[in-house]
Amino acid sequence: MIDRRNRTLCIVIFSILTMMSVLLMSGCSQTEEDPYRTAITKVLEHQFNGPDEKFMELLWNPKYTTVVNNKEENKEFDQYVEEVYGPYFTDSELDFFIAAFATSYQSRALDTGHKLSLKDITIEQSDKISNRYTFIAKVGYQKKGDEEKIANVEGEVMFSTKEDGQIGRFSYGDDDGLLR
């Protein structure tokens, strides 16, 4: 028969081991989310799933465009862009990104009747420049009735050093012929 002292010792040891196991398991199941990788992922998800019908409708339908002081404005499109992409970009880079890149893949997919689907993303942080990231997005594209093809789209992202967590420059490089 186990005396009272040994029994208490066994309970204490068992309790400590149980708590350590729970802490170890909960620590392994939680991964720290990198806000920079999250921002890149969200932008690529918006770029390479679709085409985004609302984005394209607001962009191309003339009923959303008005002329004020001899300048075209599209407040609905601007608001949608701000909601979708705004949280991830500096104000100046958002304007540049929309003008230079945001419409390219969506418009091409719509024009050619393709559906885009983001399959996978590889993101790497530069060893030399801490706010520089490169990515490769594996993008599926398929025309109705055709076999899906895959393109690897490469790019680079520089995060602002003044606006924490905001993209200061976003560019695409080789896109494996996706825009052809």
XYZ file of all heavy atoms in Angstrom, residues 95-128:
269
model
N -2.013 53.588 -55.234
C -2.351 54.222 -56.508
C -1.498 53.657 -57.643
O -2.000 53.343 -58.725
C -2.151 55.740 -56.426
C -3.148 56.408 -55.495
O -4.215 55.813 -55.213
O -2.855 57.534 -55.029
N -0.194 53.516 -57.402
C 0.695 52.970 -58.421
C 0.354 51.519 -58.734
O 0.290 51.121 -59.898
C 2.164 53.081 -57.968
C 3.112 52.494 -58.963
C 3.434 53.173 -60.128
C 3.661 51.235 -58.757
C 4.297 52.612 -61.063
C 4.521 50.665 -59.687
C 4.843 51.346 -60.838
N 0.125 50.715 -57.708
C -0.190 49.299 -57.887
C -1.464 49.122 -58.717
O -1.499 48.311 -59.637
C -0.342 48.611 -56.526
C -0.800 47.182 -56.620
C 0.096 46.184 -56.984
C -2.105 46.829 -56.351
C -0.309 44.857 -57.078
C -2.521 45.519 -56.440
C -1.623 44.528 -56.806
N -2.480 49.889 -58.409
C -3.745 49.788 -59.157
C -3.513 50.177 -60.611
O -3.957 49.479 -61.530
C -4.841 50.662 -58.513
C -5.189 50.151 -57.108
C -6.096 50.702 -59.392
C -5.650 48.704 -57.031
N -2.793 51.249 -60.845
C -2.545 51.705 -62.214
C -1.649 50.745 -62.995
O -1.879 50.500 -64.181
C -1.913 53.100 -62.188
N -0.646 50.184 -62.342
C 0.349 49.383 -63.055
C 0.036 47.890 -63.097
O 0.334 47.229 -64.091
C 1.726 49.597 -62.419
N -0.519 47.330 -62.016
C -0.599 45.876 -61.928
C -1.990 45.295 -61.633
O -2.323 44.232 -62.132
C 0.347 45.359 -60.830
C 1.778 45.694 -61.059
C 2.449 46.548 -60.200
C 2.482 45.162 -62.139
C 3.789 46.860 -60.404
C 3.807 45.467 -62.348
C 4.465 46.321 -61.472
N -2.752 45.949 -60.798
C -3.957 45.322 -60.243
C -4.969 44.892 -61.283
O -5.677 43.905 -61.093
C -4.612 46.242 -59.222
N -5.047 45.608 -62.368
C -6.061 45.275 -63.369
C -5.566 44.294 -64.426
O -6.373 43.687 -65.125
C -6.570 46.547 -64.069
O -5.491 47.168 -64.759
C -7.178 47.518 -63.070
N -4.260 44.115 -64.548
C -3.689 43.319 -65.642
C -4.206 41.888 -65.697
O -4.765 41.457 -66.713
C -2.162 43.291 -65.545
O -1.641 44.576 -65.592
N -3.992 41.128 -64.633
C -4.357 39.709 -64.652
C -5.867 39.520 -64.629
O -6.400 38.632 -65.298
C -3.687 38.968 -63.488
C -2.192 38.918 -63.656
C -1.358 39.743 -62.920
C -1.617 38.062 -64.598
C 0.018 39.714 -63.100
C -0.238 38.029 -64.781
C 0.571 38.864 -64.024
O 1.935 38.836 -64.215
N -6.559 40.372 -63.886
C -8.020 40.282 -63.837
C -8.633 40.590 -65.214
O -9.518 39.874 -65.677
C -8.574 41.245 -62.778
C -8.199 40.904 -61.348
C -9.028 39.763 -60.805
O -10.205 39.639 -61.090
N -8.403 38.909 -60.011
N -8.152 41.659 -65.853
C -8.675 42.032 -67.173
C -8.356 40.979 -68.220
O -9.209 40.634 -69.045
C -8.087 43.383 -67.621
O -8.554 44.423 -66.812
N -7.148 40.463 -68.194
C -6.760 39.435 -69.171
C -7.615 38.186 -69.011
O -8.060 37.597 -70.002
C -5.268 39.105 -69.010
C -4.766 38.107 -70.001
C -4.680 38.718 -71.385
N -4.095 37.737 -72.286
C -4.364 37.673 -73.558
N -5.154 38.560 -74.118
N -3.816 36.748 -74.306
N -7.842 37.784 -67.779
C -8.676 36.601 -67.537
C -10.099 36.837 -68.050
O -10.682 35.964 -68.698
C -8.692 36.257 -66.049
N -10.638 38.009 -67.775
C -11.991 38.324 -68.234
C -12.050 38.356 -69.757
O -12.948 37.768 -70.362
C -12.440 39.672 -67.652
C -13.865 40.082 -67.962
C -14.850 39.157 -67.249
C -14.110 41.520 -67.547
N -11.076 39.004 -70.397
C -11.045 39.123 -71.861
C -10.913 37.778 -72.560
O -11.459 37.583 -73.645
C -9.893 40.026 -72.313
C -10.119 41.488 -71.952
O -11.249 41.865 -71.606
O -9.126 42.258 -72.005
N -10.169 36.857 -71.972
C -9.917 35.567 -72.622
C -10.829 34.451 -72.128
O -10.733 33.320 -72.605
C -8.451 35.134 -72.422
O -8.191 34.983 -71.018
C -7.491 36.136 -73.040
N -11.706 34.762 -71.172
C -12.633 33.751 -70.662
C -11.992 32.727 -69.731
O -12.481 31.601 -69.614
N -10.923 33.110 -69.074
C -10.236 32.210 -68.150
C -10.677 32.447 -66.710
O -11.065 33.559 -66.341
C -8.719 32.406 -68.222
C -8.094 31.773 -69.408
N -7.965 32.428 -70.611
C -7.562 30.548 -69.591
C -7.364 31.639 -71.490
N -7.113 30.487 -70.890
N -10.588 31.423 -65.910
C -10.748 31.521 -64.462
C -9.369 31.382 -63.853
O -8.580 30.522 -64.261
C -11.656 30.404 -63.913
C -13.111 30.551 -64.301
C -13.741 31.655 -63.496
C -15.225 31.745 -63.810
N -15.814 32.953 -63.283
N -9.080 32.197 -62.875
C -7.810 32.137 -62.164
C -8.033 31.536 -60.781
O -9.055 31.808 -60.144
C -7.222 33.542 -61.980
C -6.920 34.351 -63.230
C -6.452 35.748 -62.850
C -5.877 33.648 -64.076
N -7.073 30.741 -60.336
C -7.150 30.216 -58.970
C -5.738 30.096 -58.398
O -4.876 29.448 -58.987
C -7.873 28.873 -58.922
O -7.196 27.907 -59.681
N -5.540 30.759 -57.280
C -4.251 30.717 -56.604
C -4.098 29.360 -55.938
O -4.914 28.965 -55.116
C -4.166 31.835 -55.566
C -2.851 31.980 -54.831
C -1.723 32.308 -55.789
C -2.973 33.067 -53.769
N -3.038 28.646 -56.307
C -2.820 27.295 -55.797
C -1.873 27.269 -54.603
O -2.089 26.527 -53.650
C -2.248 26.385 -56.897
C -3.107 26.281 -58.132
C -4.392 25.595 -57.808
C -5.232 25.403 -59.057
N -6.540 24.868 -58.758
N -0.810 28.049 -54.668
C 0.212 27.995 -53.625
C 1.066 29.255 -53.721
O 1.160 29.871 -54.787
C 1.089 26.753 -53.819
C 2.014 26.494 -52.647
O 1.634 26.789 -51.498
O 3.134 25.993 -52.877
N 1.665 29.632 -52.602
C 2.555 30.791 -52.573
C 3.803 30.417 -51.777
O 3.706 29.853 -50.694
C 1.903 32.005 -51.885
C 0.543 32.336 -52.485
C 2.829 33.215 -51.951
C -0.240 33.340 -51.663
N 4.950 30.768 -52.333
C 6.211 30.647 -51.610
C 6.723 32.061 -51.396
O 6.886 32.813 -52.360
C 7.244 29.837 -52.421
O 6.687 28.554 -52.718
C 8.540 29.674 -51.652
N 6.941 32.418 -50.144
C 7.401 33.760 -49.806
C 8.712 33.631 -49.044
O 8.811 32.849 -48.102
C 6.362 34.499 -48.931
C 5.022 34.606 -49.650
C 6.889 35.884 -48.537
C 3.892 35.134 -48.783
N 9.701 34.427 -49.473
C 10.996 34.416 -48.795
C 11.407 35.837 -48.452
O 11.286 36.744 -49.277
C 12.054 33.747 -49.668
C 11.790 32.271 -49.860
C 12.923 31.548 -50.563
O 14.025 32.119 -50.687
O 12.690 30.400 -50.978
N 11.905 36.000 -47.240
C 12.422 37.292 -46.798
C 13.899 37.366 -47.152
O 14.635 36.388 -46.994
C 12.230 37.443 -45.295
C 12.654 38.792 -44.762
C 12.406 38.936 -43.268
O 12.119 37.977 -42.577
N 12.527 40.160 -42.784
N 14.330 38.529 -47.606
C 15.732 38.736 -47.956
C 16.617 38.642 -46.719
O 16.247 39.138 -45.645
C 15.899 40.111 -48.603
O 17.267 40.427 -48.761
N 17.756 38.028 -46.881
C 18.729 37.960 -45.787
C 19.418 39.304 -45.574
O 19.831 39.623 -44.464
C 19.795 36.897 -46.087
C 19.241 35.489 -46.070
O 18.239 35.244 -45.368
O 19.812 34.620 -46.766
N 19.530 40.090 -46.638
C 20.294 41.331 -46.578
C 19.436 42.562 -46.320
O 19.885 43.517 -45.709
C 21.079 41.509 -47.876
C 22.117 40.429 -48.083
C 22.836 40.591 -49.386
C 23.818 39.433 -49.538
N 24.420 39.387 -50.834
